[in-house]
Structure formats: C-alpha cells, structure tokens
Amino acid sequence: QGLKPIVSTESPSLVCGTATKLASDLPATDSFLGKNQVPDLQKLFQKADGLPVHLKRGVPDKLLYRTTMALTIGGTIYCLVALYMASQPRNQ
C-alpha cells in the first residue's frame, strides 16, 4: 500500500477545446509597437522652463486644463444652487 505521491503523475485534462499557443508561434510585435518615445518625453518634462508639468505639452494641455476648471467651477455653482433650493421651505 504505502504513501501516495502528492503530485499527480497524470497530465491534466484540457479546460478549453483549443490548444495553447506558444509565444514563439505568435507574430513579431516590433512592427506595430513604434518608436520608444520615453526619452523624448523625459527631455520635454524635465526642461526647466517654469511651466507646471500639466501644461508642458502646449495647446492641448491648456485646453484640457481650462475645460476641467470650467467644469469644476460650474459643478460647484450647480451644487450650491441645488443646496439653496433644497433648503427653502415649500409653499402650499
């Protein structure tokens, strides 16, 4: 009788009906990854030009920043007006 081995010696059954592809069978990814832009972006963001990081890339960053500020201020005003209206007694 003796002790049984803890690890099964049988190969596990397939969970899915398809076999697994090996990484060597997949197509090369170099063609669609493109150029590494990290060094260029590091130079841009580390330049000492006095601009905050969230505005270093120019017009698109300024547009996003101003849109975010406008939505924040508008949402705050909307919440204050809704709070004021909710605090008023109802007339019957």
Side-chain angles (χ1 to χ4, degrees):
Q1 306 289 346
L3 298 173
K4 293 183 179 180
I6 296 174
V7 180
S8 174
T9 57
E10 300 175 6
S11 62
S13 61
L14 288 175
V15 176
C16 297
T18 60
T20 306
K21 291 185 180 181
L22 298 175
S24 60
D25 296 340
L26 296 175
T29 58
D30 294 338
S31 62
F32 61 86
L33 284 180
K35 181 182 171 242
N36 185 8
Q37 297 179 353
V38 172
D40 299 331
L41 291 174
Q42 283 177 339
K43 288 177 189 174
L44 175 72
F45 288 118
Q46 292 176 355
K47 190 183 341 174
D49 55 2
L51 286 175
V53 174
H54 61 275
L55 296 177
K56 289 234 184 208
R57 294 185 83 182
V59 175
D61 282 348
K62 289 180 184 176
L63 183 66
L64 284 171
Y65 177 74
R66 290 180 181 162
T67 302
T68 303
M69 286 298 113
L71 288 171
T72 303
I73 292 170
T76 302
I77 292 171
Y78 179 77
C79 287
L80 291 174
V81 168
L83 183 64
Y84 174 76
M85 291 176 64
S87 67
Q88 298 299 316
R90 293 183 182 217
N91 294 332
Q92 291 187 3

